[in-house]
Amino acid sequence: MSEEEATVKIRRTNSVDSEVVLEVAAKNLRKSIRECETQNPPFIADHLKSKLQEFTFVVCGAPRTGKSTLINAIINKDIAPTKSGPSAVTLETKCYTLEGPCSNEGDQEGQTFRINIWDTRGITTWDKSIADVIEEKHPMCLILCASPGSFANDEFVRPLISQCVNLKIFVALVCTNQWNDSGEKRAKVIEEFHNLLRVYNTKVSTDNDITFYGEIGLVTMVNSIAYSNRRTGLYRPRNGVNHLIYGIMKSLNEDQLLGWCYTLMENDGFWSQMQGQIQDFFAQKFTYGKSFLWSLSKAKTWFQHQ
């Protein structure tokens, strides 16, 4: 079942409340901040607290692989410019931001979160600026895009993945525009992605058409927007994005998880379609269960009034 079809079906039921999910994350954040304050000198604690309230993820890949389109699909907001046609849209690396209140409880009142979304220009040669962003910002995850017919396994990609593995940054290798071109070319991209990750981790599992390589990364395919070919009459709905989002969610550590939940604040379709998996995930991950999500409810209220 495609995501569009699943969303229509799920509207008939009560969706999981993202406010509840985010409350669990916020409680974990407050716990981490308290630990920073009690276990470090003041100047170190202040620095660490600021890092716990600013989160980053990076999307990169070859030109015209739908990087900006995938960003918009993940956050359910048209923040990155896109257009159809053969010419690349993102000619220079850009950083988009989402901001909102962290919490309204206790000593965290008035503090805000910031999500930095780095949309990089297409990789055609080694780009040190991407490596610098990874080194400096230490993102929640790196999403590397390739579409059928574009490169995946490349001398410019390997160093980025190696850098992320060394820094313990989760890597999502995504075949975008999955219905473009032939099935043979899709399979080639996926195989090259597997080759990039299997050298680091042989512990492999599969769920929802996503292959996980332990804590290193994942490999999957998505169609960020509906695909239509008038010449052939082929139509394919959007597919795979919500499972990608969830796959990243359950692969992040607890502090990064809060940032990822904030990133998804306005993506109501994700919280609706994936309600069962999300509830099970948080129930298993946190002993205090639903109490994680209080501050995201405040943030969601803030978003809805902007």
Side-chain angles (χ1 to χ4, degrees):
M1 179 183 296
S2 72
E3 290 178 3
E4 287 185 355
E5 294 167 336
T7 300
V8 171
K9 181 178 180 180
I10 219 73
R11 287 185 187 133
R12 300 192 184 99
T13 65
N14 295 324
S15 67
V16 61
D17 194 340
S18 62
E19 300 174 1
V20 176
V21 176
L22 294 172
E23 184 182 338
V24 176
K27 183 171 182 177
N28 185 70
L29 174 63
R30 292 191 290 272
K31 177 174 178 286
S32 297
I33 290 175
R34 286 193 295 271
E35 290 174 352
C36 286
E37 292 174 330
T38 58
Q39 298 176 12
N40 295 282
F43 71 95
I44 295 178
D46 289 344
H47 172 73
L48 292 177
K49 283 193 293 183
S50 68
K51 291 297 184 183
L52 285 170
Q53 291 156 183
E54 182 172 348
F55 307 91
T56 299
F57 74 95
V58 177
V59 180
C60 63
R64 301 302 303 158
T65 53
K67 300 182 294 296
S68 299
T69 304
L70 179 58
I71 288 173
N72 293 341
I74 289 173
I75 66 174
N76 193 35
K77 187 175 183 179
D78 292 333
I79 195 171
T82 63
K83 70 176 182 180
S84 59
S87 300
V89 177
T90 307
L91 302 179
E92 298 294 335
T93 297
K94 298 179 180 178
C95 181
Y96 306 104
T97 61
L98 301 173
E99 293 182 329
C102 268
S103 173
N104 193 29
E105 179 178 291
D107 59 358
Q108 300 308 311
E109 184 172 359
Q111 294 186 353
T112 61
F113 72 85
R114 174 192 289 263
I115 307 298
N116 300 312
I117 306 167
W118 287 87
D119 184 8
T120 71
R121 64 183 180 182
I123 300 175
T124 55
T125 60
W126 169 247
D127 190 341
K128 186 176 182 297
S129 67
I130 301 176
D132 289 342
V133 170
I134 294 171
E135 184 71 32
E136 178 183 351
K137 301 298 184 181
H138 205 93
M140 297 178 284
C141 65
L142 172 78
I143 301 176
L144 175 67
C145 302
S147 57
S150 71
F151 74 85
N153 185 353
D154 190 274
E155 60 179 310
F156 310 126
V157 171
R158 286 186 180 277
L160 290 177
I161 294 177
S162 177
Q163 181 185 21
C164 288
V165 172
N166 290 335
L167 294 173
K168 300 187 183 305
I169 297 168
F170 191 76
V171 179
L173 304 184
V174 183
C175 178
T176 50
N177 305 327
Q178 70 176 99
W179 302 117
N180 288 359
D181 225 309
S182 65
E184 180 180 346
K185 290 184 177 179
R186 287 196 297 273
K188 181 175 175 57
V189 170
I190 292 298
E191 180 58 28
E192 290 175 343
F193 277 161
H194 286 306
N195 290 338
L196 287 167
L197 292 187
R198 62 168 54 107
V199 299
Y200 297 105
N201 194 309
T202 56
K203 182 180 179 181
V204 179
S205 61
T206 303
D207 185 34
N208 290 320
D209 296 323
I210 299 177
T211 302
F212 294 89
Y213 285 82
E215 298 178 351
I216 300 293
L218 62 80
V219 173
T220 192
M221 291 191 293
V222 303
N223 213 46
S224 300
I225 58 176
Y227 171 82
S228 178
N229 187 319
R230 294 181 180 179
R231 181 178 60 84
T232 63
L234 179 66
Y235 172 82
R236 292 288 185 270
R238 179 180 122 152
N239 187 61
V241 175
N242 286 342
H243 286 125
L244 167 64
I245 293 171
Y246 178 68
I248 294 173
M249 172 182 281
K250 69 179 187 178
S251 301
L252 300 178
N253 66 38
E254 294 180 6
D255 293 329
Q256 294 168 333
L257 176 59
L258 174 61
W260 193 240
C261 288
Y262 278 133
T263 302
L264 308 173
M265 181 66 65
E266 295 186 85
N267 193 338
D268 291 337
F270 167 73
W271 299 106
S272 295
Q273 183 186 349
M274 305 299 292
Q275 57 178 317
Q277 293 96 317
I278 295 169
Q279 289 171 331
D280 291 344
F281 168 70
F282 280 101
Q284 294 171 16
K285 189 170 183 66
F286 300 101
T287 56
Y288 41 85
K290 293 185 178 181
S291 62
F292 170 90
L293 312 174
W294 183 85
S295 86
L296 271 217
S297 67
K298 301 299 181 183
K300 186 171 184 180
T301 300
W302 183 88
F303 269 124
Q304 290 172 342
H305 288 83
Q306 298 307 302

